[in-house]
């Protein structure tokens, strides 16, 4: 017999994880902000016509991180892994 006690998540965390529309809105917002940063950097790079500078690489990296964060919030892989049948 195990006497392990699982920590209970806070009420605000439970509400956020169970609220599908909250995850769609916040994750979609992050994903769309990543798309905006990507296309803004791409337009500037097209206008300059040269190779990508370090600033452009940083913007592309930020765009990828924002989009990935949005997808993770929508998918909620941690919450699904902790659910017990």
């Amino acid at each position: 017999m195990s006497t392990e006690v699982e920590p209970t998540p806070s009420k605000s965390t439970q509400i956020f994880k169970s609220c599908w529309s909250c995850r769609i809105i916040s994750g979609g917002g992050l994903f769309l902000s990543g798309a905006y940063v990507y296309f803004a950097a791409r337009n500037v790079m097209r206008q300059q016509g040269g190779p990508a500078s370090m600033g452009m690489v940083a913007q592309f990296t930020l765009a990828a991180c924002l989009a990935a964060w949005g997808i993770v919030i929508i998918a909620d892989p941690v919450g699904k892994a902790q659910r017990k049948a």
Side-chain angles (χ1 to χ4, degrees), residues 13 17-18 23 72-73 75-84:
T13 305
K17 287 187 177 183
S18 65
R23 289 198 341 243
V72 166
I73 287 180
D76 189 27
V78 175
K80 290 178 183 170
Q82 292 177 352
R83 291 184 190 145
K84 296 181 182 179

Side-chain angles (χ1 to χ4, degrees), residues 19 22 66:
C19 179
C22 297
L66 285 171

Side-chain angles (χ1 to χ4, degrees), residues 13-40:
T13 305
Q14 290 174 346
I15 290 171
F16 180 72
K17 287 187 177 183
S18 65
C19 179
W20 177 247
S21 61
C22 297
R23 289 198 341 243
I24 290 292
I25 290 171
S26 60
L30 283 167
F31 185 80
L32 290 175
S33 64
Y36 175 78
V37 171
Y38 171 77
F39 284 113

